[in-house]
Amino acid sequence: MNPAARAALAELLGDRVAFGVAMARHTSLRVGGDADALASPESADEVVGCLALCREHELALTAVGGGFNLLVRDGGLRGVVLRTAKLRGLEADGTELRAEAGVSHSQVARYCGERGLRGLEFAAGIPGSVGGWVAMNAGVPAREMRDALRAVVVAGPDGVETRSGEAMGFRYRGADGLAAGGVVVGAHFALADLGR
């Protein structure tokens, strides 16, 4: 990574970026070589800043969540690994659940259980975080994320936009709507009240 890109990342994220990081320390399987840079933004705006910086400096970008079931080759990853694990917002407005990309499966399950919300039970045993769930259209044979989503919040180098579930182009274990390089930073789920 060139010195100008390194300096720009450090200016943007401060201590939330590290260089020459062993990815094995950030995956559940504990494997993987070094990432040139590991960026851990705390907001959607910081994600946008990282994406814009990668575009400006022509750096490869790899977006990851909590590292659940992630395999990284021994040769590591070039460019910037953008880790969404610090995006942790979680709130409900009636039966709409809004979760940022770094919220884990266990946090979602506990939050919904405490508030009597149903609709994501199928995901209780699927490891990972909200961003990965959405990007991979996680699911079980009878139900997938696309069935529970109202909208997806996607960051790109030019800003953040909220897209309908239909606009995401979901398919089996993927979303064509992310092909242009967007990063999932949040999702809105349409749930139901257990009392009804």
Side-chain angles (χ1 to χ4, degrees), residues 89-93 96-100 103 111 187-189:
L90 181 62
E91 64 180 0
D93 183 5
E96 181 175 305
L97 178 72
R98 291 186 296 272
E100 288 188 322
V103 177
Y111 190 89
H188 299 199
F189 296 97

Side-chain angles (χ1 to χ4, degrees), residues 2-176:
N2 70 61
R6 188 177 173 122
L9 276 167
E11 183 178 339
L12 175 68
L13 296 173
D15 63 358
R16 293 184 308 286
V17 64
F19 301 94
V21 176
M23 287 302 295
R25 293 191 346 230
H26 299 280
T27 67
S28 63
L29 301 173
R30 300 293 180 229
V31 297
D34 290 355
D36 288 346
L38 179 66
S40 299
E42 291 182 326
S43 69
D45 287 341
E46 286 185 348
V47 173
V48 170
C50 284
L51 294 171
L53 192 150
C54 287
R55 180 174 64 187
E56 177 185 346
H57 292 275
E58 299 180 352
L59 297 172
L61 177 94
T62 304
V64 302
F68 297 101
N69 296 331
L70 175 66
L71 287 173
V72 177
R73 63 189 177 97
D74 290 341
L77 295 166
R78 303 295 61 90
V80 176
V81 175
L82 190 149
R83 191 165 181 257
T84 61
K86 290 186 180 282
L87 302 176
R88 305 300 292 250
L90 181 62
E91 64 180 0
D93 183 5
T95 57
E96 181 175 305
L97 178 72
R98 291 186 296 272
E100 288 188 322
V103 177
S104 73
H105 66 290
S106 59
Q107 289 173 299
V108 170
R110 185 172 42 255
Y111 190 89
C112 289
E114 290 170 353
R115 285 157 184 80
L117 296 172
R118 65 179 172 84
L120 286 172
E121 298 82 8
F122 72 94
I126 300 172
S129 55
V130 168
W133 276 1
V134 172
M136 297 193 60
N137 190 28
V140 296
R143 196 160 158 85
E144 297 175 313
M145 280 300 131
R146 68 174 147 201
D147 300 319
L149 280 166
R150 176 169 287 146
V152 179
V153 184
V154 178
D158 297 314
V160 177
E161 66 175 308
T162 301
R163 301 178 185 169
S164 69
E166 295 80 26
M168 289 298 295
F170 285 113
R171 56 180 163 72
Y172 181 76
R173 301 302 169 258
D176 293 333

